[in-house]
Structures are given as structure tokens and as C-alpha cells.
Amino acid sequence: MVLDGLGADNPLRTNMNEVLAAAEKAANLTKRLLVFSRKQVVDVKPVNINETILGIQKMLARIIMENIDFKLDLADRQLIVMADAGQIEQVLMNLPQMPVTQCRRADG
């Protein structure tokens, strides 16, 4: 609805797309939390791993530490697996946090 009010050349359109994508990610996080608490059924269906990674690429780049280069090397073909896309996204979001956690433990 908000996007409809912005012209195609409006510079705010990019920002609004990011806000809407973040809102969708928040909704998916809520679903994952419900799955984790066993109050929602896992939604297993064919998932293209490349598309899933590309869908959270910006968010991954933001949470990775500055001293780490973030590069994607996706498969040249579709990688379809039977999975819950939200759970795959959660695993991918947790990966960059693992080295940080380990470094803190080593320092602690």
C-alpha cells in the first residue's frame, strides 16, 4: 500500500522495500519461535537454497563482523531440498554468530 503511493523513481522506494523485507523476516522469526516452542507445525516444502541465501544476503552482510569479507559462491544450478525455509534461514543467520561466540568464550 505504501509502495503504491511512491513513484517508481522515488528514492524512498528502496528504503521502503528494505523495511517491508525486514517486517517479513520478523514475521518469519515469530513463526520459527513458535515452531521452536512446538506450537506450530514445521512447513516442509521444496526450497531452493540459492534463492534462500540470496533472500537474506543483505541481512547476513550486516551481521557479519567488519573484519570478515562476505562473499557468496552459489551453485550454478538450483539446489532444491525438502525443508522449512524459515528454519534454513535461521541456521544461515546463526552461522556468522558462531565465531563471535567462540572468541568471547576463549577470552572469557
Side-chain angles (χ1 to χ4, degrees):
M1 190 157 80
V2 174
L3 285 176
D4 294 338
L6 297 174
D9 59 342
N10 190 321
L12 295 176
R13 193 170 183 83
T14 301
N15 292 340
M16 186 51 62
N17 280 328
E18 287 191 34
V19 168
L20 292 173
E24 185 176 331
K25 298 294 180 202
N28 287 334
L29 174 60
T30 301
K31 288 179 186 177
R32 289 191 296 273
L33 290 171
L34 289 171
V35 167
F36 181 75
S37 67
R38 310 246 188 255
K39 294 186 180 188
Q40 185 175 354
V41 178
V42 177
D43 185 20
V44 177
K45 58 185 175 188
V47 175
N48 184 331
I49 298 296
N50 285 342
E51 288 178 6
T52 302
I53 293 170
L54 288 172
I56 62 170
Q57 176 181 3
K58 284 184 181 179
M59 196 174 300
L60 284 171
R62 287 184 183 143
I63 64 173
I64 291 175
M65 296 174 10
E66 293 121 16
N67 60 339
I68 298 175
D69 290 332
F70 178 67
K71 297 179 183 175
L72 291 179
D73 186 14
L74 302 175
D76 294 334
R77 59 183 176 88
Q78 289 189 355
L79 297 176
I80 307 295
V81 297
M82 293 299 290
D84 183 302
Q87 289 184 335
I88 297 293
E89 287 178 358
Q90 186 62 46
V91 168
L92 293 171
M93 297 297 285
N94 287 340
L95 286 175
Q97 298 302 316
M98 294 171 77
V100 174
T101 303
Q102 293 302 318
C103 288
R104 287 186 183 144
R105 286 184 185 162
D107 289 341

